[in-house]
């Protein structure tokens, strides 16, 4: 059994969670049997959110998914702008010294103005690994492209 990354959420006797294998799972809370899984193209570490029959999940593939809670079918998908990394010339003594090189260990968030330690896999494609919040029909999440997004 692969390692699970996200915390689970519960709605209508179904437990939803994401895995590091890129799947979003729906499991019957009474029996523990898998109802279905939906694949993304990257690990799903953030806790899903559920509202109005929709399961919202973010993935390291840089996409945010809205799935039908009953069927697992894709309702819509949003793609982030990609990663934002700290860059400098001659970074960590790398050659050539006059070439801009992206730091593989840090990136700057435009809203935070400070470096955040992250792995290359997390920020490779503007991955989404924040918790999700749904308020009044708008789902909010942060992504490695440095933005706090609100989607209807």
């Amino acid at each position: 059994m692969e390692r699970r990354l996200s915390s689970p959420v519960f709605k209508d006797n179904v437990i939803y969670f994401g895995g590091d294998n890129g799947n979003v799972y729906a499991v019957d809370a009474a029996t523990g049997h898998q109802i279905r899984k939906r694949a993304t193209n990257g690990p799903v570490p953030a806790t899903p959110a559920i509202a109005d029959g929709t399961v919202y999940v973010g993935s390291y593939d840089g996409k945010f998914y809205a799935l039908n809670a009953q069927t697992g079918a894709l309702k819509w998908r949003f793609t982030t702008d990609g990663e934002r990394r700290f860059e400098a010339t001659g970074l960590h003594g790398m050659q050539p010294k006059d070439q801009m090189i992206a730091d593989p260990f840090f990136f700057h968030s435009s809203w935070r103005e400070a470096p955040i330690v992250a792995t290359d896999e997390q920020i490779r494609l503007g991955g989404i690994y924040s918790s999700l919040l749904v308020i009044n029909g708008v789902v909010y999440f942060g992504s490695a492209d440095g933005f706090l997004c609100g989607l209807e």
Side-chain angles (χ1 to χ4, degrees):
M1 181 175 293
E2 76 270 352
R3 183 179 62 143
R4 308 286 186 230
L5 288 182
S6 82
S7 297
V9 293
F10 176 82
K11 178 76 173 170
D12 298 330
N13 204 43
V14 178
I15 300 169
Y16 301 91
F17 58 93
D20 66 353
N21 62 357
N23 290 318
V24 179
Y25 293 90
V27 174
D28 185 296
T31 67
H33 290 106
Q34 179 179 306
I35 299 169
R36 72 185 146 283
K37 66 181 176 181
R38 173 75 187 199
T40 72
N41 290 318
V44 181
T47 303
I50 304 174
D52 301 319
T54 303
V55 177
Y56 299 99
V57 295
S59 174
Y60 280 6
D61 67 3
K63 294 178 178 61
F64 186 83
Y65 298 84
L67 308 174
N68 181 297
Q70 294 295 319
T71 66
L74 180 67
K75 287 185 167 187
W76 52 263
R77 174 177 48 226
F78 173 80
T79 303
T80 65
D81 285 341
E83 67 185 82
R84 290 191 180 196
R85 291 190 188 185
F86 173 73
E87 295 181 350
T89 56
L91 191 62
H92 304 299
M94 294 180 188
Q95 299 291 329
K97 289 187 176 189
D98 60 349
Q99 180 179 345
M100 269 307 210
I101 299 171
D103 191 324
F105 304 108
F106 291 88
F107 70 95
H108 279 276
S109 166
S110 61
W111 56 271
R112 194 176 158 123
E113 298 299 327
I116 302 170
V117 175
T119 67
D120 187 52
E121 179 65 22
Q122 288 172 321
I123 60 178
R124 180 172 51 102
L125 294 171
I128 299 166
Y129 44 93
S130 72
S131 294
L132 315 174
L133 178 65
V134 181
I135 301 174
N136 297 325
V138 179
V139 61
Y140 297 92
F141 64 94
S143 69
D145 62 5
F147 290 99
L148 174 64
C149 299
L151 303 174
E152 290 185 276

